Amino acid sequence: MAESPKASGARPAKKTHFLEHWAQHHRKVARATFIQLVKQPFTSIFTCFVIGVALVLPVLLSVLLSNLSHINQAWDGSPQITLLLKKGVPSLDAGVLANQIEAKAHVSSSVLIDKDVALEDFKQRFDFSDAIDFLDENPLPHVIIVRLNINTGELYLIETLRDQLITLPEVDSAILDSAWVQRLHALTELVQSAVWIIATILSLTVILVLGNTIRLAIENRKEEIVVMKLVGGTDAFVRRPFLYMGLFFGLGSSIMAWCLTHWVLYLLNEPIETLAQSYQFDFSLSGLNFISTLSLLIFGLSLGWLSAWLAVRKHLGDIEPD
């Protein structure tokens, strides 16, 4: 016997009604929890501020790591050897030598800097043009900048190539510029490790602070929870307001951390720009972009939800009707 259309549509209609009721109840609980937090502005703002301060340090370290990565990209991250040619080497011979060096293994590029061009650049960068004009001849040598495609960790290969290049008859001396790159990479790895360690420790701190806040909220509503359980309220129904409380605290803490981070970056940006300019380097701190801001919000929400869930799981079971 074929099932009637009315009977076949009963189950989907019932399921749709259940989902609508579930969503409506979540909206109602979220609204009520938010209103409850708004009615206690000092406590709510203070809690968000304390957790936001705990989140600021790993966020600032992440921003610093991002800026260090930008410096790495600006410097190309590759080691280089600076060859100072002997006095009297013609420009044509220096150009031929640069082409010969570029053909060697592990060399990505070899660029000749003519001494006349270097002198003009020196005059523009520094205030010694009047003194330089009194010199009988250009004191600067031709320079060849040799960029390598060797990883900075393979320092022995870089030093071997430098020793080969310094034996060329046109070369007077060779300067290996890999120390700063290695230090920058080491500093980047150090900051990256520090970000993870500090973020883990402060995440545990946030969980403890929020967990204690949720525990106090559970104790304050102990009688209400007992009544809910007496009338048949499930554990999921009872813990729902506290989970939303954790989410709201996490969201508020993330917003507070975002504001504090940009305030600290604003205070640090001007002195860092001044320091960079003193080294003839144009650099300014970049703050949180859209992806970083979204990650911070998701991280705060996740910590808030996890803290509330752990606190409710631990303390809600202890409250039972007599």
Side-chain angles (χ1 to χ4, degrees):
M1 182 177 179
E3 188 177 3
S4 64
K6 182 177 181 181
S8 62
R11 184 170 298 174
K14 184 176 181 180
K15 184 177 181 180
T16 303
H17 178 72
F18 171 77
L19 291 176
E20 291 178 353
H21 178 73
W22 180 84
Q24 182 180 4
H25 180 262
H26 270 271
R27 289 194 298 268
K28 183 179 179 181
V29 172
R31 189 184 303 111
T33 304
F34 181 77
I35 293 174
Q36 180 185 0
L37 294 177
V38 170
K39 289 181 179 179
Q40 301 173 343
F42 178 79
T43 303
S44 302
I45 295 175
F46 181 78
T47 303
C48 291
F49 181 79
V50 170
I51 300 173
V53 170
L55 294 176
V56 163
L57 184 56
V59 172
L60 283 176
L61 288 176
S62 299
V63 172
L64 177 61
L65 181 62
S66 176
N67 283 273
L68 286 175
S69 300
H70 291 161
I71 296 176
N72 267 332
Q73 294 174 2
W75 286 356
D76 195 21
S78 58
Q80 68 180 31
I81 299 175
T82 303
L83 300 178
L84 305 179
L85 304 187
K86 292 180 179 178
K87 186 177 180 180
V89 175
S91 299
L92 183 60
D93 293 344
V96 173
L97 178 62
N99 293 332
Q100 292 175 351
I101 294 175
E102 190 169 0
K104 290 182 176 293
H106 305 304
V107 176
S108 60
S109 66
S110 178
V111 180
L112 171 66
I113 300 178
D114 190 270
K115 62 179 183 179
D116 295 331
V117 176
L119 183 62
E120 291 298 325
D121 183 67
F122 184 84
K123 289 180 179 180
Q124 294 177 3
R125 286 177 176 267
F126 303 98
D127 299 329
F128 299 115
S129 58
D130 295 336
I132 292 175
D133 291 336
F134 286 101
L135 298 176
D136 296 332
E137 59 181 4
N138 187 351
L140 300 178
H142 294 302
V143 176
I144 297 178
I145 304 297
V146 182
R147 290 190 177 274
L148 310 178
N149 53 17
I150 307 175
N151 190 288
T152 52
E154 300 175 323
L155 186 59
Y156 67 97
L157 291 177
I158 304 174
E159 292 178 344
T160 300
L161 182 58
R162 179 201 57 185
D163 295 339
Q164 293 176 359
L165 295 176
I166 204 173
T167 59
L168 296 174
E170 298 87 352
V171 177
D172 184 39
S173 61
I175 303 174
L176 179 57
D177 300 333
S178 64
W180 283 107
V181 178
Q182 286 183 310
R183 290 168 188 168
L184 182 60
H185 285 184
L187 180 61
T188 302
E189 293 177 359
L190 175 63
V191 174
Q192 188 173 8
S193 301
V195 167
W196 285 108
I197 294 173
I198 294 176
T200 301
I201 295 174
L202 292 180
S203 296
L204 294 175
T205 304
V206 169
I207 290 175
L208 293 175
V209 172
L210 262 182
N212 185 65
T213 302
I214 301 298
R215 181 188 66 82
L216 293 176
I218 292 174
E219 291 295 330
N220 292 334
R221 300 176 62 179
K222 184 175 181 179
E223 296 181 358
E224 180 182 346
I225 294 172
V226 171
V227 173
M228 288 183 184
K229 289 191 173 184
L230 285 174
V231 298
T234 61
D235 288 341
F237 181 86
V238 174
R239 68 170 170 254
R240 197 163 294 160
F242 302 105
L243 294 180
Y244 274 108
M245 183 180 295
L247 287 175
F248 285 131
F249 275 134
L251 178 61
S253 302
S254 299
I255 296 174
M256 190 71 69
W258 185 88
C259 296
L260 290 174
T261 299
H262 279 273
W263 178 66
V264 173
L265 291 177
Y266 172 77
L267 295 179
L268 293 178
N269 191 48
E270 185 175 352
I272 288 178
E273 284 184 351
T274 304
L275 178 63
Q277 290 174 1
S278 66
Y279 285 95
Q280 306 295 322
F281 185 64
D282 187 14
F283 175 75
S284 60
L285 284 174
S286 59
L288 296 173
N289 55 24
F290 176 76
I291 299 298
S292 301
T293 302
L294 184 62
S295 301
L296 175 60
L297 293 176
I298 294 175
F299 182 67
L301 287 170
S302 302
L303 278 182
W305 182 89
L306 179 62
S307 304
W309 185 82
L310 291 175
V312 171
R313 183 182 179 184
K314 177 175 177 58
H315 301 289
L316 197 59
D318 299 335
I319 303 176
E320 294 291 342
D322 294 333

